[in-house]
Amino acid sequence: ILRMVSQLSLSGIDIAYLDLDKKHRSSFTLFVTELANGLHRQGKQLTLTLPAPKIMARNPNQIDEGAYDWELLGQQADILKIWPIRDQSLYRLDVPIILTYLTELIDRKKLVLILTPYASEKSLISIRSLTMLDAMAIATRLAIRSETIRAGEEIDLIGTNIDKDEGLSGILWQPETATVAFTYKSNGGRTIWLENIYSAIFKLEYVSIFRLGGVGIENGSESIIPNLWPPIIEFINSGQLELLQPNPETLAPKWWASGGVIMSNQRGGAIWTAPSTAGKYRIALTISDGVDQFINDLTINIQELKKLKI
């Protein structure tokens, strides 16, 4: 690593070993110490990207650092970047405790909070990251509930994963997580939290409260992702934060049809009065995260009404 940094005339190196087993704690600390000493002799910098310590049994007095000795690592590295916590149901509970713990061990100006542009989906057994497009593709799924599809008839449409009449949450702002989110039924139920400028502002609040050294964004160069930079740049320039929430009206699902009359019930479904003329018609469902709009559609083949023989 030292040879590569020198040969490429780099200003430093970032080490991101995020999944180390606890048994490697001592050897990782030794590795970082030797690397930091070598880099500093060359006038270079070392940054570390580390997973946040865990709070055991929901007890603030039981912090598990795992394989990462934050105090010793903080003495060696120039910057320590705190990797995002994916579970938003715990984020606003855990982050203040974790930052209180870390700022007592490490120069707070060395700590950088990393934000993520990726949505998080939590199931009964795991959490995974999703692009905004993948998350909203789930949110905008639509289907037909009616048994018959004939000209002039009323046809029930449902947003498969947002219909409140099916016991789902719909797209909403969750105050407890400070994110736009929705729950849907799949293998025991799942929750998706969306990251956008609104959730980013509430996470930036911790940078301000704990007077951290900075903020960063997880790499999202391979995907179409929300632009989190505007609130970050505003915060850097002004030092001020305005904690904003999306307008609830922007989160309401919107339905559209290429023919006939469609009436949304504002609960994730709609009733479509089909045109009197048979043919193929397009139905579309639009959902917003409060910033951008996402559309899904389907084509419905309307049949002529059968005429009774006299």
Side-chain angles (χ1 to χ4, degrees):
I1 293 174
L2 291 172
R3 184 166 55 250
M4 179 189 67
V5 170
S6 177
Q7 290 174 349
L8 298 179
S9 298
L10 303 179
S11 59
I13 198 79
D14 178 68
I15 298 296
Y17 296 166
L18 296 172
D19 300 305
L20 290 179
D21 190 280
K22 195 170 185 176
K23 66 184 179 182
H24 298 305
R25 180 180 173 97
S26 296
S27 56
F28 181 67
T29 302
L30 179 60
F31 161 68
V32 168
T33 299
E34 293 183 359
L35 180 58
N37 289 335
L39 288 169
H40 293 156
R41 282 195 296 269
Q42 297 182 25
K44 312 292 187 179
Q45 285 196 327
L46 173 63
T47 69
L48 301 178
T49 301
L50 305 175
K54 294 180 180 179
I55 301 173
M56 307 305 294
R58 314 305 315 141
N59 185 343
N61 295 318
Q62 295 184 24
I63 304 292
D64 182 11
E65 296 182 331
Y68 311 94
D69 189 327
W70 280 82
E71 184 173 13
L72 292 180
L73 296 174
Q75 294 172 6
Q76 302 299 328
D78 299 286
I79 294 174
L80 294 93
K81 298 188 288 185
I82 307 167
W83 198 239
I85 296 173
R86 307 293 180 185
D87 189 344
Q88 298 301 301
S89 68
L90 300 177
Y91 193 98
R92 293 184 67 78
L93 298 173
D94 288 1
V95 167
I97 298 170
I98 291 168
L99 291 180
T100 298
Y101 174 78
L102 292 179
T103 52
E104 291 175 353
L105 297 177
I106 303 163
D107 178 359
R108 64 184 70 237
K109 294 303 180 183
K110 286 188 174 185
L111 295 173
V112 171
L113 186 67
I114 302 298
L115 308 186
T116 179
Y118 293 101
S120 297
E121 180 191 66
K122 183 177 182 179
S123 67
L124 294 176
I125 59 174
S126 65
I127 293 181
R128 64 168 179 156
S129 296
L130 299 171
T131 66
M132 179 66 82
L133 287 178
D134 288 339
M136 295 307 275
I138 295 172
T140 56
R141 287 176 187 165
L142 63 161
I144 302 169
R145 183 181 282 134
S146 302
E147 295 181 0
T148 60
I149 308 175
R150 300 189 183 280
E153 291 185 342
E154 289 189 348
I155 299 170
D156 289 328
L157 306 172
I158 59 170
T160 309
N161 292 324
I162 61 164
D163 191 350
K164 294 180 181 178
D165 290 334
E166 296 293 325
L168 306 178
S169 69
I171 298 285
L172 50 75
W173 174 259
Q174 280 189 348
E176 66 273 22
T177 64
T179 62
V180 176
F182 65 98
T183 60
Y184 71 104
K185 297 175 181 177
S186 177
N187 298 325
R190 302 185 180 213
T191 299
I192 290 182
W193 296 286
L194 306 173
E195 294 286 358
N196 56 24
I197 58 173
Y198 295 105
S199 60
I201 291 172
F202 279 83
K203 290 177 172 64
L204 282 172
E205 185 181 21
Y206 295 120
V207 178
S208 177
I209 292 172
F210 288 91
R211 305 189 307 279
L212 303 183
V215 61
I217 296 181
E218 179 183 359
N219 180 24
S221 58
E222 298 179 1
S223 309
I224 300 175
I225 56 174
N227 182 10
L228 304 185
W229 285 113
I232 293 176
I233 293 173
E234 175 64 25
F235 172 57
I236 292 172
N237 290 336
S238 69
Q240 303 296 317
L241 281 173
E242 186 177 3
L243 301 179
L244 299 174
Q245 302 177 18
N247 185 332
E249 293 184 4
T250 66
L251 302 180
K254 297 176 176 59
W255 292 85
W256 174 88
S258 60
V261 178
I262 193 166
M263 296 293 292
S264 172
N265 63 15
Q266 298 300 312
R267 294 182 58 78
I271 295 177
W272 179 45
T273 302
S276 57
T277 304
K280 292 183 178 181
Y281 296 89
R282 179 171 165 245
I283 301 293
L285 172 60
T286 299
I287 294 178
S288 173
D289 68 331
V291 181
D292 298 310
Q293 294 186 333
F294 302 83
I295 302 174
N296 202 354
D297 65 5
L298 56 81
T299 300
I300 300 177
N301 189 21
I302 299 296
Q303 303 175 9
E304 293 281 4
L305 281 172
K306 292 183 178 180
K307 296 180 179 180
L308 295 176
K309 293 183 179 180
I310 301 177

